Amino acid sequence: MPFLGQDWRSPGWRWVKTEDGWKRCEPFSPALEDGNNQLNDISHTVIITGDDENEEVYSTEDCEFASKKRKKDHFRNNTDSQCFYREKWIYVHKESTRERHGYCTLGEAFNRLDFSSAIQDIRRFNYVVKLLQLIAKSQLTSLSGAAQKNYFNILDKIVQKVMEDQYNPRLIKDLLQDLSSTLCILIRGVGKSVLVGNINIWICRLETILLWQQQLKNLQMNKQVNNGLTLSDLPLHMLNNILYRFSDGWDIITLGQVTPTLYMLSEDRQLWKKLCQYHFAEKQFCRHLIPSEKGHIDWKLMYFALQKCYPIKEQYGDTLHFCRHCSILFWKDTGHPCTASDPNTCLMPVSPQHFIDLFKF
């Protein structure tokens, strides 16, 4: 007996329980749905007039085929269209069970967790950029075609946000440098055997990355016109307190270039010693002692030497969380359907590297 309905390989519809009963959830963007509605309003018989003014009448079957093709082309050609899901969480399963078959991939998680909206939140911006950087270094070829397209769409939004807000351009420059190096190796050395899609698409993406790098290189910081209190007007102990709040050595150096007073404070040996003690263990100090000309330990040079050998502690305003009870990955403010008696005891913050490790098999 033939199967009447959708493709038998389809995972089926997603249903959501509401007050009025169960309703089917459509995992498409609103823009695409509007386009679909317009296409569905087309009558079963379409009349097309050519240059020779000869009318050609299509049958109902041909019209449905053309309608489906237009829907597909609309989705593919619209670079802003992405798959949106009502649930901003994903169940992480690594093996088949009686209830679930298959496993969750990095690409699925990347598409489901709405990183496109996360970059608009200042607390999550650095987190998402670091995650994209780790994917660029080692996991780019493991993404599906849809996930790769989503990756570059999000990257485009990040670059545009930095160009407009001028927020943390150094971080984006590092990301683009790692990504361009990876693509050069894949395109020239490995070839299209590991790249999803036409090789010309990847060459075009590489050219776009080089264009972004040039735009960021030419980025000029806008001077803030303010007749009120400025950073230079603060007392020394408050400026010193600000410097001690930084966890990145490059941020201290950058701030030290603003005024001679801040430069003097940024060169404080005690400041760099505290920074080294925060990021690295005492055993690591002994292996990389760098004395200065006066015989003292040069903590500033020591920090950058240790940074090349050991990972530094990462600080983020907000991160993804993993529920050990439900095996669900989610943003904390959106929540997830947890069945534990005390959900807060099951939560675990997920670093960008831990996110990558969750999907290694």
Side-chain angles (χ1 to χ4, degrees), residues 229-240 242 261-262 265:
L229 188 68
T230 63
L231 191 65
S232 304
D233 298 326
L234 296 176
L236 289 179
H237 72 276
M238 293 187 67
L239 293 174
N240 208 35
I242 293 174
T261 303
L262 286 170
L265 294 174

Side-chain angles (χ1 to χ4, degrees), residues 145-275:
Q148 289 176 358
K149 183 178 180 180
N150 191 20
Y151 179 96
F152 283 95
N153 283 336
I154 294 174
L155 185 58
D156 182 30
K157 292 182 179 180
I158 289 176
V159 173
Q160 300 308 319
K161 179 178 177 60
V162 172
M163 295 297 295
E164 294 173 3
D165 302 344
Q166 301 177 346
Y167 176 74
N168 210 345
R170 177 176 57 84
L171 194 64
I172 314 304
K173 290 178 182 178
D174 293 341
L175 165 59
L176 294 178
Q177 181 60 42
D178 291 337
L179 183 57
S180 62
S181 300
T182 301
L183 286 185
C184 286
I185 294 172
L186 292 175
I187 292 174
R188 297 175 184 174
V190 181
K192 59 183 179 182
S193 58
V194 296
L195 296 175
V196 178
N198 192 299
I199 191 68
N200 294 324
I201 296 177
W202 288 97
I203 294 175
C204 182
R205 286 172 175 171
L206 181 58
E207 292 174 350
T208 304
I209 293 170
L210 297 176
L211 178 61
W212 287 338
Q213 288 178 314
Q214 188 62 37
Q215 291 176 348
L216 290 173
K217 184 179 180 181
N218 299 332
L219 179 64
Q220 297 293 330
M221 294 295 181
N222 297 328
K223 291 185 178 180
Q224 300 292 334
V225 180
N226 190 355
N227 298 325
L229 188 68
T230 63
L231 191 65
S232 304
D233 298 326
L234 296 176
L236 289 179
H237 72 276
M238 293 187 67
L239 293 174
N240 208 35
N241 257 343
I242 293 174
L243 285 168
Y244 271 85
R245 300 283 182 178
F246 287 124
S247 61
D248 191 335
W250 284 109
D251 291 336
I252 295 175
I253 292 177
T254 303
L255 185 59
Q257 296 172 348
V258 176
T259 63
T261 303
L262 286 170
Y263 175 76
M264 177 192 67
L265 294 174
S266 67
E267 293 295 318
D268 182 23
R269 290 180 59 252
Q270 193 65 23
L271 170 65
W272 289 98
K273 180 179 179 181
K274 290 286 186 182
L275 192 63

Side-chain angles (χ1 to χ4, degrees), residues 110 115 119 125-140 143 147 150-156 158 172 175-176 178-179 352 355-356:
F110 190 78
F115 289 103
I119 61 174
F125 184 83
N126 290 359
Y127 180 86
V128 176
V129 172
K130 182 62 177 179
L131 179 59
L132 293 183
Q133 188 173 15
L134 292 177
I135 292 176
K137 288 182 178 179
S138 60
Q139 300 296 320
L140 190 62
L143 297 180
N150 191 20
Y151 179 96
F152 283 95
N153 283 336
I154 294 174
L155 185 58
D156 182 30
I158 289 176
I172 314 304
L175 165 59
L176 294 178
D178 291 337
L179 183 57
F355 179 88
I356 300 293

Side-chain angles (χ1 to χ4, degrees), residues 17-213:
K17 189 175 183 180
T18 64
E19 295 179 355
D20 301 328
W22 289 89
K23 292 186 177 181
R24 195 172 68 196
C25 177
E26 298 287 349
F28 296 107
S29 64
L32 184 60
E33 289 180 356
D34 294 340
N36 290 346
N37 293 334
Q38 294 176 3
L39 294 172
N40 289 332
D41 292 339
I42 300 175
S43 60
H44 289 288
T45 303
V46 181
I47 300 177
I48 299 177
T49 304
D51 296 336
D52 54 357
E53 297 185 359
N54 291 328
E55 294 181 346
E56 183 177 359
V57 182
Y58 283 83
S59 63
T60 302
E61 184 177 351
D62 293 336
C63 178
E64 291 178 355
F65 175 79
S67 176
K68 290 181 180 179
K69 188 176 186 303
R70 278 193 294 271
K71 291 178 186 179
K72 185 182 293 186
D73 292 342
H74 173 83
F75 182 76
R76 287 180 175 177
N77 296 333
N78 186 5
T79 55
D80 295 331
S81 66
Q82 299 173 17
C83 287
F84 292 93
Y85 295 86
R86 183 171 299 179
E87 302 90 354
K88 305 301 181 184
W89 50 265
I90 187 168
Y91 177 79
V92 181
H93 54 288
K94 296 186 177 182
E95 56 185 9
S96 297
T97 62
R98 183 176 297 179
E99 294 80 14
R100 287 179 176 269
H101 294 281
Y103 55 88
C104 181
T105 64
L106 177 63
E108 290 178 272
F110 190 78
N111 288 335
R112 287 287 297 275
L113 292 171
D114 195 18
F115 289 103
S116 182
S117 299
I119 61 174
Q120 305 302 329
D121 190 334
I122 194 67
R123 301 170 302 162
R124 300 174 180 173
F125 184 83
N126 290 359
Y127 180 86
V128 176
V129 172
K130 182 62 177 179
L131 179 59
L132 293 183
Q133 188 173 15
L134 292 177
I135 292 176
K137 288 182 178 179
S138 60
Q139 300 296 320
L140 190 62
T141 56
S142 65
L143 297 180
S144 64
Q148 289 176 358
K149 183 178 180 180
N150 191 20
Y151 179 96
F152 283 95
N153 283 336
I154 294 174
L155 185 58
D156 182 30
K157 292 182 179 180
I158 289 176
V159 173
Q160 300 308 319
K161 179 178 177 60
V162 172
M163 295 297 295
E164 294 173 3
D165 302 344
Q166 301 177 346
Y167 176 74
N168 210 345
R170 177 176 57 84
L171 194 64
I172 314 304
K173 290 178 182 178
D174 293 341
L175 165 59
L176 294 178
Q177 181 60 42
D178 291 337
L179 183 57
S180 62
S181 300
T182 301
L183 286 185
C184 286
I185 294 172
L186 292 175
I187 292 174
R188 297 175 184 174
V190 181
K192 59 183 179 182
S193 58
V194 296
L195 296 175
V196 178
N198 192 299
I199 191 68
N200 294 324
I201 296 177
W202 288 97
I203 294 175
C204 182
R205 286 172 175 171
L206 181 58
E207 292 174 350
T208 304
I209 293 170
L210 297 176
L211 178 61
W212 287 338
Q213 288 178 314

